[in-house]
């Protein structure tokens, strides 16, 4: 798979925006002036407006070194400008490894990796989510953890004398998922 | 500031997460052996769920709730948590700190937890294995316990990002100049080897959406370690371990290069110095065979 990781969105236009690419000329009608406030209102997104585009995040980003498209500075700028559809439908949004180097080194205290997490949460609501996350998410509801441990592994635990794995309370998982809107998100992305 | 050996013989709830029982049991096996020898008692979690980290990109509030639920279980048991996976440890530490500090966030998350008759109080701590080793056992006690010093063995370290980043929220070690794993390696008598770009991510977190970048990253790091003269790499993260051990052969084939750098979990390295045998430490589970390099130090299976 290339950088084209995120799945197509719910409408053709958004998909088209993704294909236009992040380097295409910006059109005035694309700018959503309230977007930066929407992000700043979220937990850990408060300092988005402080970014002055120094580029420390991109120059220190281990992924940016090997990706032709992933540039955290550009994502932050798109968020500030309000290029909402373009940034939310962008495949590159899903390349952040959440190593937090950018967050640690930002001279303006912008929580870069957390802003990217906020953008991803928004993108999911718009129907953009790489397949892997649906898998991990539904595993949590089905078994309580993100990766299903194969039966063979569980038997091997017994053989080598490891204690049985603690169980998960699946009722609790469902209740938390319903309360936080996680169930709804999973259900909606399923239809996409 | 790293406190040392303040509360030896403490009990901890063991938080295994999913990646370790799924792919790297040798990390769990060796940890249990080593901690028992050092007088740390591990108590199994009565029940547990995902730490929350994997679905943070999907729904932040679900992540907070999942992490908080684990912390609530520990609060009920009145025990601190030790996690072997830095992703789990970092998430639990971060959420614990945020919920303790922010009344607003705490009330919000407690609103979700109310649905399952739980409430976060903020009465326990969560730690990564490295933190337990330096704070609750202490370097001195570890040095004293070493019976077979790994003299002359050249060991590179790769702690994993979430052991100390984001530094303001995880508050452990120095994320720009880490010393904990280095000191722990030296405590075994081995020689610690530094290498270029040691602090950068192994790439594993994006392996699910991109299959090239993580391998390029891991390959570059393996080259730097080899160039620095490392005979062995030590990790304390199941994902870093999978990148460097499980994928090493694949990387060698893909880039037509040879590394042959065995990747040990730190407790396996320490275990050798404490006199455990290869089979005690599940060294056979490693993909890159370490037996040639460690044969001067390891007892054969018992």
């Amino acid at each position: 798979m290339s950088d084209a990781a995120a799945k197509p969105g719910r409408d053709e236009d958004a998909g088209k925006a993704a294909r236009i690419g992040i380097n295409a000329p910006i059109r005035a009608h694309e700018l959503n002036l309230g977007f930066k406030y929407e992000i700043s209102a979220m937990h850990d997104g408060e300092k988005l407006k402080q970014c002055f585009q120094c580029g420390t995040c991109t120059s220190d980003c281990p992924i940016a070194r090997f990706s032709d498209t992933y540039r955290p500075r550009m994502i932050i700028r798109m968020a500030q400008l309000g290029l909402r559809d373009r940034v939310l439908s962008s495949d590159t949004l899903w390349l952040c490894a959440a190593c937090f180097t950018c967050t640690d080194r930002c001279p303006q205290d912008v929580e870069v990796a957390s802003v990217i997490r906020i953008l991803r949460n928004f993108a999911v609501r718009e129907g953009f989510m790489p397949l892997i996350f649906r898998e991990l998410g539904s595993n949590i509801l089905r078994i309580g953890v993100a990766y299903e441990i194969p039966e063979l592994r569980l038997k091997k635990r017994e053989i080598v004398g490891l204690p049985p794995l603690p169980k998960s309370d699946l009722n609790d998982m469902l209740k938390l998922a319903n309360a936080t809107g996680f169930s709804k998100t999973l259900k909606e992305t399923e239809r996409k | 500031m790293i406190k040392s050996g303040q509360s030896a013989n403490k009990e901890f709830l063991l938080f295994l997460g999913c990646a370790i029982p799924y792919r790297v049991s040798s990390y769990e096996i060796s940890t249990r052996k080593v901690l028992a020898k050092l007088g740390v008692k591990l108590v199994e979690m009565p029940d547990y769920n995902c730490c929350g980290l994997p679905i943070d990109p999907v729904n932040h509030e679900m992540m907070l709730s999942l992490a908080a639920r684990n912390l609530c279980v520990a609060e009920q048991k009145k025990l601190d948590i030790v996690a072997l996976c830095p992703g789990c440890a970092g998430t639990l530490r971060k959420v614990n700190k945020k919920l303790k500090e922010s009344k607003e966030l705490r009330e919000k998350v407690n609103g979700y937890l109310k649905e399952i008759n739980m409430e976060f109080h903020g009465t326990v701590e969560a730690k990564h294995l490295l933190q337990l080793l330096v704070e609750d056992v202490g370097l001195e006690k570890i040095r004293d316990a070493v019976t077979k010093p790994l003299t002359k063995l050249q060991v590179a370290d790769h702690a994993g990002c979430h052991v100390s980043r984001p530094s303001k929220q995880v508050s452990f070690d120095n994320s720009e100049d880490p010393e904990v794993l280095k000191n722990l390696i030296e405590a075994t008598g081995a020689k610690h080897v530094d290498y270029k770009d040691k602090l950068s991510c192994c790439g594993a977190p994006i392996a699910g959406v991109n299959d090239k970048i993580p391998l390029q990253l891991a390959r570059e790091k393996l080259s730097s370690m080899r160039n620095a003269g490392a005979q062995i790499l030590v990790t304390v993260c199941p994902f870093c371990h999978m990148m460097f051990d499980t994928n090493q052969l694949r990387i060698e084939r893909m880039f037509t290069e040879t590394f042959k750098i065995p990747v040990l979990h730190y407790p396996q390295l320490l275990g050798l110095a404490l006199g455990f045998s290869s089979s005690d430490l599940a060294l056979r589970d490693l993909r890159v065979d370490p037996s040639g390099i460690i044969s001067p130090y390891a007892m054969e299976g018992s």
Side-chain angles (χ1 to χ4, degrees):
Chain A
M1 210 193 303
S2 70
D3 283 3
K7 293 300 137 196
R10 68 175 166 196
D11 65 57
E12 274 306 300
D13 285 339
K16 212 169 167 185
R19 284 193 297 275
I20 288 169
I22 44 183
N23 292 313
I26 298 165
R27 292 179 176 80
H29 69 82
E30 275 188 80
L31 303 178
N32 178 330
L33 301 180
F35 193 44
K36 58 178 176 284
Y37 301 107
E38 210 183 315
I39 296 165
S40 308
M42 306 300 291
H43 184 59
D44 294 334
E46 299 88 349
K47 291 174 184 157
L48 170 68
K49 286 178 286 171
Q50 292 180 13
C51 168
F52 54 27
Q53 291 285 295
C54 69
T56 302
C57 49
T58 292
S59 59
D60 286 350
C61 174
I63 304 299
R65 277 194 13 231
F66 293 100
S67 165
D68 295 335
T69 52
Y70 180 70
R71 302 286 180 267
R73 169 169 66 171
M74 191 186 278
I75 290 176
I76 295 292
R77 192 63 183 144
M78 288 165 86
Q80 285 179 323
L81 283 173
L83 290 167
R84 191 179 198 282
D85 296 341
R86 212 189 278 216
V87 73
L88 295 188
S89 63
S90 164
D91 296 344
T92 63
L93 195 55
W94 297 92
L95 285 179
C96 166
C99 73
F100 293 98
T101 308
C102 50
T103 297
D104 260 22
R105 295 183 184 165
C106 176
Q108 286 294 88
D109 264 346
V110 179
E111 304 229 14
V112 183
S114 299
V115 170
I116 291 171
R117 179 258 301 159
I118 293 167
L119 292 170
R120 286 173 169 184
N121 278 200
F122 288 170
V124 166
R125 274 182 238 156
E126 305 285 326
F128 300 102
M129 179 165 80
L131 264 180
I132 179 80
F133 291 100
R134 192 187 305 154
E135 198 181 309
L136 299 175
S138 46
N139 279 350
I140 290 170
L141 290 187
R142 199 165 51 82
I143 49 176
V145 289
Y147 294 98
E148 181 161 23
I149 313 209
E151 203 53 42
L152 204 69
R153 282 273 169 192
L154 296 175
K155 278 197 189 115
K156 206 187 159 203
R157 286 185 71 82
E158 259 185 72
I159 296 166
V160 297
L162 289 172
L165 282 180
K167 293 267 176 273
S168 299
D169 188 323
L170 298 180
N171 233 337
D172 281 10
M173 294 301 101
L174 186 64
K175 283 179 187 163
L176 289 177
N178 288 341
T180 56
F182 185 65
S183 306
K184 193 167 160 251
T185 310
L186 281 188
K187 206 171 267 173
E188 278 174 4
T189 52
E190 218 166 281
R191 279 189 262 117
K192 300 277 153 57
Chain B
M1 268 297 285
I2 290 157
K3 294 165 286 172
S4 186
Q6 290 194 333
S7 47
N9 302 325
K10 227 186 137 179
E11 283 185 8
F12 285 88
L13 269 185
L14 175 65
F15 189 88
L16 277 174
C18 56
I20 293 167
Y22 179 34
R23 299 290 286 274
V24 279
S25 295
S26 51
Y27 187 15
E28 180 188 351
I29 293 169
S30 52
T31 300
R32 288 182 187 272
K33 290 266 161 53
V34 162
L35 289 185
K37 186 134 192 180
L38 294 170
V40 178
K41 194 180 169 211
L42 294 177
V43 179
E44 308 305 315
M45 297 273 296
D47 77 287
Y48 85 132
N49 50 262
C50 173
C51 69
L53 182 65
I55 46 90
D56 196 24
V58 181
N59 186 321
H60 186 58
E61 290 171 10
M62 183 66 174
M63 181 284 281
L64 292 170
S65 307
L66 289 173
R69 189 188 178 282
N70 287 314
L71 292 164
C72 289
V73 170
E75 287 180 2
Q76 287 168 4
K77 294 289 282 183
K78 296 192 171 60
L79 284 173
D80 290 342
I81 288 177
V82 61
L84 310 189
C85 170
C88 301
T91 304
L92 296 174
R93 279 181 76 71
K94 205 158 72 176
V95 173
N96 202 22
K97 185 167 194 270
K98 284 184 178 220
L99 295 185
K100 281 182 190 179
E101 284 172 359
S102 161
K103 188 168 176 261
E104 192 193 334
L105 197 63
R106 188 168 63 243
E107 281 172 357
K108 188 177 193 180
V109 172
N110 272 335
Y112 299 134
L113 293 173
K114 209 173 168 193
E115 300 282 327
I116 58 168
N117 299 317
M118 284 193 179
E119 190 182 350
F120 174 89
H121 296 101
T123 54
V124 295
E125 289 299 326
K127 294 184 174 190
H128 179 259
L129 173 69
L130 285 189
Q131 197 176 0
L132 179 155
L133 285 171
V134 289
E135 291 181 1
D136 299 277
V137 178
L139 282 170
E140 209 168 311
K141 190 172 172 185
I142 292 172
R143 273 188 220 111
D144 288 349
V146 168
T147 53
K148 290 179 180 292
L150 309 177
T151 323
K152 290 185 186 161
L153 193 63
Q154 310 249 351
V155 181
D157 64 316
H158 191 278
C161 301
H162 298 130
V163 166
S164 59
R165 284 196 300 251
S167 56
K168 274 185 211 152
Q169 286 159 12
V170 177
S171 330
F172 175 66
D173 206 357
N174 177 348
S175 62
E176 294 296 337
D177 187 13
E179 57 164 4
V180 171
L181 189 50
K182 172 181 185 282
N183 291 342
L184 283 166
I185 287 169
E186 286 172 350
T188 66
K191 189 177 177 303
H192 172 259
V193 177
D194 241 324
Y195 58 96
K196 187 174 158 261
D197 289 328
K198 182 176 87 171
L199 301 180
S200 80
C201 174
C202 68
I206 61 159
V209 290
N210 185 298
D211 63 2
K212 288 205 180 68
I213 295 172
L215 296 174
Q216 288 171 304
L217 258 171
R219 175 234 186 171
E220 199 191 54
K221 298 201 77 164
L222 284 165
S223 304
S224 303
M225 290 165 206
R226 183 189 53 196
N227 296 345
Q231 293 174 283
I232 278 184
L233 169 66
V234 157
T235 62
V236 283
C237 171
F239 293 98
C240 298
H241 194 268
M242 286 188 257
M243 273 321 295
F244 294 117
D245 179 61
T246 318
N247 281 321
Q248 198 175 124
L249 195 63
R250 193 171 159 209
I251 293 167
E252 288 182 330
R253 280 195 197 128
M254 195 165 157
F255 299 97
T256 48
E257 268 187 280
T258 314
F259 297 111
K260 293 209 167 27
I261 301 175
V263 189
L264 270 64
H265 309 290
Y266 177 72
Q268 291 183 314
L269 186 84
L270 177 59
L272 289 173
L274 297 180
F276 285 107
S277 70
S278 305
S279 64
D280 283 337
L281 301 169
L283 284 167
R284 262 172 236 155
D285 287 6
L286 302 176
R287 293 283 178 91
V288 182
D289 182 10
S291 53
I293 291 167
I294 59 162
S295 61
Y297 312 97
M299 289 194 311
E300 276 314 305
S302 51

